[in-house]
Amino acid sequence: MRQPIFALIDCNNFFVSCERLFRPDLENKPVVVMSSGDGCVVARSNEAKALGIPMGAPVYKWRQFFKDNRVVQFSGNFELYGDISRRITDVLASVTPQIEVYSVDESFLGLSELKIDDYRAWGRAVRDKIWQWIGIPVSVGVAPTKTLAKLAANHAKVHPALNSVLSLSPLPPQPERQRERFILSHSTAKNRVRIFPSDSVKGLSFHAWLRATPVQEVWGVGWRLAPRLQAEGVHDALQLSQLRPQHAQQLMGIHGRQLVAELNGLSCYPLEREGKAQKSIARTRTFGEDTGDIGSLEAALASFAAKAAFRLRVDHQLARRAGVFATTNKHKPGYQVWRRETYFPVPTADTGKLIASVVDLFHKFYNPHVKYHRAGVWLQDFVPVDHLQTDVFGSVNVAAEGRSKARMQTLDSINERFGRGKIRYAAEALGNKWEPKHRLRSPRYVTRWNELPVVHTLK
DNA sequence: TCTGGGGTCCTAGGACCC
DNA sequence: TCTGGGGTCCTAGGACCC
């Protein structure tokens, strides 16, 4: 079998870059995009990062700072970002069918089948194509494992001399590793230089790149594991790669063992090409305002159920299990969570049935004196539509199931033709106090007819 | 006034069965 | 009724990702 080789294509500051597509005047200015309900910062331009605004910054604490520093704010326009994301996926799929869409702004490509002599030149060509056709800047990392490709892309993003592309292969020969290990054991772990000022980065060895990667920036090491590793004297990716596999497993579980192998160039995570079926679907929101209003709460849950059911039908799946939860504000004393779930003997993707079920479940714990802050609906235990089996008593009502299917198809096709939400269940419209605010949302330029950008010409 | 949303996987512990 | 081990299933919680 051929040695695997991966590329990670990672969009730079993706949400901000999408906003700038239609607002070129925002180039070189600090820009942030906020989460649903304008609660916290979920994307920052380089200029905003340079101002010290952290990921996840609570907006209410930073409002004055944004004003003082002329930071441009956007409410998340996730419809827009999803559309741009699909366009990028289309471009990448034209490069190779060996593609795994990892998230809205990242894709892995499998390169072992392609005949590539120079990975840097190849990476630059892909970067240029996406820039030219879509207008989004990307970084490219190439390496024999996904973990190393991620690491390479992260460096490609922050060192201008790399021109957004870093290839980390092939691996250096064994003797060098031994030498570096010796040197490492005599160096101080802290205060190691990470940011290289000049073109010298191009000549750095594989091991130098690992050494320049703080352990908490390694894919798979989060905020809980990082301090544990540091306590063991593991401060960077090179040291992590030199842990004994058994020790890594003790510290991080089975995942740690694979992580160490991946850092050593041994691929453990294959490309997941097929659009693997999801195992659960959830739709949850923090409300626009805390509320105990039963109409609004039922409307929220009905709306979540409708959205989740639609997603289920797009995936050609049926759910055996549905659940609902609601919470108070977790930042206030007396935080509480309620949850209930139910099981369907005959799995379903019928919006009406799901709405009825979740509203029913909600009433089992609803208390009119509670101000609810957040709620959600989830679906689980899926079976493919064409595998609908009868329940143990064979009591599937074939005619009723047929009518349900036809009803949903009609609903979906009308909404597809005339715009989403054109037809909905009355339960979704009983109140709107739950709806999150998005005062600063840009137009949905490419997904809504009435929000198309207007071009003025000078005569 | 006040901190997002949507996922996956692993592990530990309890219930239950043979 | 007791003893012990092993297997399975379920749930809750923890950890990670973007």
Side-chain angles (χ1 to χ4, degrees), chain A residues 198-212:
Chain A
S198 70
D199 273 11
S200 66
V201 295
K202 287 182 189 166
L204 283 183
S205 72
F206 175 77
H207 280 165
W209 284 118
L210 292 199
R211 205 181 305 123

Side-chain angles (χ1 to χ4, degrees), chain A residues 319-322 342-348 353-354 357 379:
Chain A
R320 282 192 192 283
R321 214 172 273 280
T342 189
Y343 176 86
F344 302 112
V346 181
T348 185
K353 277 185 209 164
L354 288 166
S357 299
L379 307 177

Side-chain angles (χ1 to χ4, degrees), chain A residues 197-233:
Chain A
S198 70
D199 273 11
S200 66
V201 295
K202 287 182 189 166
L204 283 183
S205 72
F206 175 77
H207 280 165
W209 284 118
L210 292 199
R211 205 181 305 123
T213 310
V215 73
Q216 67 273 17
E217 285 176 21
V218 173
W219 192 38
V221 178
W223 65 283
R224 297 303 287 265
L225 284 176
R228 269 192 249 164
L229 288 167
Q230 282 157 358
E232 299 278 321

